[in-house]
Amino acid sequence: MESLATLVLLATAAFGAGVLNAIAGGGTFLTFPALVWAGVPPIAANATSALAVCPGYAGSALGFRQELAALPRALLWREMALSAAGGVAGALLLLVTPAKVFSGIVPWLLLFATALFALGPRLSRWAGGGHGEGLVRWRNVGLLAVAVYGGYFNGGLGILLMALYLLCGEQRLNTVNALKNLNSFVLSVVSVIAFAIGGAIVWKHALLMALFATLGGFAGARLAKRLPTPWVRGIVIVTGLVMSALFFARAG
């Protein structure tokens, strides 16, 4: 039997992750460390965290259904296929990574995701300024590479996808968000399926956290209209840095 304190920790982390993802992203900085601190091995914690935040992507994608409907079907199917392939590849890569190796690179992944989150607006402005027009032909390759990363470790995925689309010449921000959410959902679903088949998910934690992450997403959608985004971004960045430092200390 899990202690009540552990269940409260996981539920609170999941709720907070749902709120953060709805406002600015960065929910993985809460769900993954909470699972590790609850005694779940890092690889299983990563897989369980992926399932916990997955439902939020579906809701986000539905919110942009008009933008998606305006895009060519062939484009959507191609990019969903690439996202699915990359998500499966990343998940399988995680499943064959030795636990000790993954534990060693986790602090670096968290730090990379934090840096990506911190630089996200600047990177988006740079890309939106037309600096990536020559990269259009690399869109498919880039999407596949980002999907592999997302299947392996979810942190910073949304920022990578937004940067990719802006670098490849997509100037309509709503369309960028629509594609980001759709492809995040697709690669998350297939990676979660791979994790489930591989027996990496701790189901009793995953279902509890998915429920509270969804509730947090609804709360975050309302809070987003009241709370200044820079404040939330600051909280996410500080959380990421603290979690990175703690995992570096843990690995040392």
Side-chain angles (χ1 to χ4, degrees):
M1 292 289 293
E2 295 288 338
S3 69
L4 179 60
T6 298
L7 296 178
V8 170
L9 168 68
L10 296 177
T12 302
F15 185 86
V19 171
L20 287 180
N21 282 339
I23 300 174
T28 301
F29 295 137
L30 296 179
T31 54
F32 175 75
L35 284 160
V36 172
W37 256 261
V40 179
I43 289 179
N46 190 46
T48 305
S49 175
L51 175 56
V53 301
C54 187
Y57 291 129
S60 298
L62 287 173
F64 287 96
R65 56 186 178 276
Q66 291 183 341
E67 286 78 8
L68 292 171
L71 294 170
R73 289 285 183 88
L75 171 70
L76 293 177
W77 282 112
R78 182 177 69 247
E79 296 207 341
M80 284 192 292
L82 288 169
S83 297
V88 170
L92 294 177
L93 182 61
L94 176 70
L95 292 174
V96 300
T97 301
K100 188 175 182 179
V101 173
F102 185 71
S103 296
I105 65 175
V106 159
W108 296 102
L109 288 171
L110 286 170
L111 191 60
F112 172 73
T114 304
L116 205 59
F117 187 90
L119 295 173
R122 184 174 299 178
L123 183 60
S124 295
R125 286 195 297 270
W126 182 84
H131 296 89
E133 293 177 353
L135 299 177
V136 176
R137 62 183 181 277
W138 295 102
R139 176 166 169 159
N140 292 339
V141 176
L143 177 58
L144 182 62
V146 172
V148 171
Y149 169 83
Y152 189 81
F153 189 75
N154 197 259
L157 170 63
I159 295 169
L160 276 174
L161 283 171
M162 289 190 72
L164 171 71
Y165 285 121
L166 288 168
L167 283 168
C168 291
E170 180 56 72
Q171 299 298 318
R172 296 165 295 180
L173 190 58
N174 283 343
T175 301
V176 168
N177 270 317
L179 289 168
K180 176 204 71 176
N181 291 325
L182 174 65
N183 291 321
S184 292
F185 175 66
V186 170
L187 75 89
S188 292
V189 167
V190 297
S191 62
V192 164
I193 291 173
F195 292 146
I197 294 173
I201 295 176
V202 182
W203 288 100
K204 57 184 178 181
H205 294 339
L207 297 178
L208 172 71
M209 296 180 80
L211 170 62
F212 277 90
T214 302
L215 294 175
F218 283 114
R222 293 186 176 185
L223 190 59
K225 300 176 182 179
R226 305 178 183 178
L227 200 61
T229 300
W231 290 14
V232 182
R233 288 189 57 81
I235 292 171
V236 174
I237 292 168
V238 170
T239 301
L241 290 174
V242 170
M243 293 303 172
S244 300
L246 289 174
F247 273 88
F248 272 116
R250 184 187 180 100

